[in-house]
Amino acid sequence: MVYGYPQCVLTLRPDQKPGITSATSEEHLRNNMANLLPSLNLSRSFRALRHPNFRLFFWGQLVSVIGVWMQVTAQQWLVYRITGSQTSLGLVTFINFLPVLLLSLFMGVIVDQFPRRKILLFTTSWFMLLAGLLALLTWLEIVQYWHILLLAFLLGIGNALDMPARQAFVIELVDDDKSDVLNAISLNSTLFNIARIIGPAIGGAIVATLGEAPAFAINGLSYLAVIIALLLMKFSLPVITSSRANPLEKMKDGFRYILSEKSILGLVVMVAAVSMVGFGTLTLVPVFAKDVLHTGATGFGNLLSWQGVGAVIGAMLLVLYGDYFQKGKSLLFSRLLLGPGIIGLALSRTPWMSMAFMALIGFSFITQLVLTNTLIQTIAPDELRGRVLSTYTWALGGFYPLGSLAMGFLGDQIGAPSAALFSGIGCILLVLFNLAVFPSMQKLT
């Protein structure tokens, strides 16, 4: 008689009863049970940190991104406080990312032509200046809505260059070791989302007690950590840049490659679609905190923090077990979670349930972005990486503001819960679109 178990077959003698009755069989079962789960090797799970440049960037980013999330929280609250309009919230996000939509593809050529560290030093200094200006205007109590829109647009110009440069810089930080790229991106995303937990909570508390200006000022100072980290980096390998001739032709080279590589085309198309239909719902979070849940600025910070909790869980799963997952199937699974998470947020009227749904949304967001980024980084050739990643940041940062503007307008017309409900249903339909148009993406490893 033979009894089956996954990866384990136990053969019993005729005089044995079914079950584990011998030490040998018991040990056999234990060994095979261990094989069902991937072994946890912490040194392997955090291997990107063995690269000195990545360590510097990691800790510098942690300080800076906490400040960024403090500013995001304070700015969204400031806009809704002085306008009372959901459309105004969406318009700020739209203006912020409009330069990404218009300029990102060209910025990819610049990223492939100039040293990425120098680009990041420039953009980080630019961000620090703009945060200081917003803090000053708010502290003097002369800030107006058009000031915020103008600063958001200037910030977006910096982001259009910073986003593809930062993404392409990752592989330089791990000494061009592609096997460490997923780990580096996952660790960076974990850091980003730890900051997403800490930053909004601190930002919400500061806004509730001191106002918005201190949150903006702290963010401005936090950029110094990234600048210092970039200046301390040392590279043993020469920085490779492409020829500076014919930038328009080089942009066309990037387009031709993407159109010929269906895997990357599918990844970019899906990021654009999910950014517009799903990510834009985040614009409505201040409305849920203030008008639906009635939890105020502190509750708004808590909602964003719980989104960060879910994102940290997702990123840490990829850090610890990312090498064991088939990336294409994992990407599809994370997309399946987004629609139900947004629908749950739309229907919830209880703060703790809303926070739980925000955690699910955060898990889905971050796992989608990390897996998409990693697949693009590993598929794209070195000489085209900046241009290919610029299409990724264009799809992510360019279509997100369109969705934010649409969600803000829809929220003003039919209410934030109904607008979010439409978004959640749209995300479910996008999964069906993914399966129908890009079925081969599930096979990506």
Side-chain angles (χ1 to χ4, degrees), residues 293-295 299 303 306 348-357:
L293 302 174
H294 308 288
T295 53
L303 286 174
W306 275 95
S348 171
R349 298 296 180 269
T350 308
W352 71 265
M353 286 187 65
S354 297
M355 289 188 284
F357 284 120

Side-chain angles (χ1 to χ4, degrees), residues 65-106:
V65 178
I66 288 174
V68 168
W69 278 105
M70 289 174 61
Q71 173 155 324
V72 167
T73 305
Q75 180 173 286
Q76 286 186 315
W77 192 258
L78 174 63
V79 169
Y80 197 53
R81 177 173 66 81
I82 65 179
T83 68
S85 167
Q86 298 175 49
T87 302
S88 296
L89 282 168
L91 185 59
V92 171
T93 303
F94 176 78
I95 292 296
N96 190 2
F97 284 93
L98 181 60
V100 177
L101 181 65
L102 299 176
L103 302 175
S104 261
L105 297 177
F106 177 75

Side-chain angles (χ1 to χ4, degrees), residues 248-321:
L248 188 59
E249 189 60 34
K250 289 185 174 300
M251 190 187 300
K252 291 179 181 178
D253 288 342
F255 290 151
R256 281 192 285 264
Y257 171 76
I258 291 166
L259 292 174
S260 67
E261 183 63 59
K262 191 170 182 181
S263 297
I264 289 184
L265 179 63
L267 291 168
V268 170
V269 168
M270 288 305 301
V271 165
V274 173
S275 295
M276 185 168 180
V277 176
F279 292 5
T281 309
L282 295 179
T283 300
L284 303 175
V285 175
V287 185
F288 278 99
K290 187 174 185 293
D291 298 334
V292 178
L293 302 174
H294 308 288
T295 53
T298 301
F300 173 44
N302 288 337
L303 286 174
L304 292 182
S305 292
W306 275 95
Q307 181 189 345
V309 169
V312 167
I313 293 171
M316 284 304 299
L317 280 175
L318 293 176
V319 167
L320 298 174
Y321 296 112

Side-chain angles (χ1 to χ4, degrees), residues 165 200 297 327 370 424 436:
K327 297 179 184 64
V370 170

